[in-house]
Structure formats: structure tokens, C-alpha cells
Amino acid sequence: RVLFRSLPIHAGAENQLGWEDGMEMLVQEFPESLAIPTNDTGDIPIAIVANDPCGDLNVIYEMVKAMLGMNYI
């Protein structure tokens, strides 16, 4: 299993990137990245957003939809 620390989706999640501001594009371009955890915390992108007190509920909702569509959940 390969773990990555700095995929663009991880950076977007950590920096509160909005869905329409670029997160949607990141998910569309590399949907598999939704299931790739970071090296430091082991969190997948949705967990990074959900654990942030300022996490965008729309981003969480759209990530869940994308993950359901790919049978990751």
C-alpha cells in the first residue's frame, strides 16, 4: 500500500478549498485520490475536511456522493 503526503486533494482539504473553487476538479481528475490517506495522519481527504472546525459541509457531501459512486463506501 502506497501512502502519499502531498497530493493536490490533500492540500485542498487541508486548506479548505471549496467544491466550486477547485475541489470538484481535483475529484473529477483523480477520483481514486479520495481513498488515498496521508502519510502523517493516515486520513483520507474527507476525514481531513470533516475534522476541521471550518470544514465545508458541501465539500463533505460532494465527496460522499463521489465515493458512493465509486463504491468506496
Side-chain angles (χ1 to χ4, degrees):
R1 177 173 159 198
V2 178
L3 300 177
F4 296 91
R5 168 64 184 103
S6 58
L7 289 175
I9 197 165
H10 295 139
E14 290 170 356
N15 291 293
Q16 301 153 355
L17 183 63
W19 188 252
E20 295 83 14
D21 298 326
M23 187 62 79
E24 179 180 19
M25 182 198 65
L26 293 174
V27 171
Q28 288 176 347
E29 291 298 318
F30 187 25
E32 296 84 6
S33 67
L34 288 168
I36 298 175
T38 63
N39 268 341
D40 58 347
T41 65
D43 288 337
I44 59 174
I46 194 169
I48 296 169
V49 177
N51 286 326
D52 185 331
C54 298
D56 185 336
L57 292 177
N58 185 53
V59 171
I60 295 168
Y61 170 74
E62 294 294 344
M63 284 182 168
V64 167
K65 282 186 7 185
M67 293 177 81
L68 285 171
M70 294 181 296
N71 296 319
Y72 285 149
I73 296 179

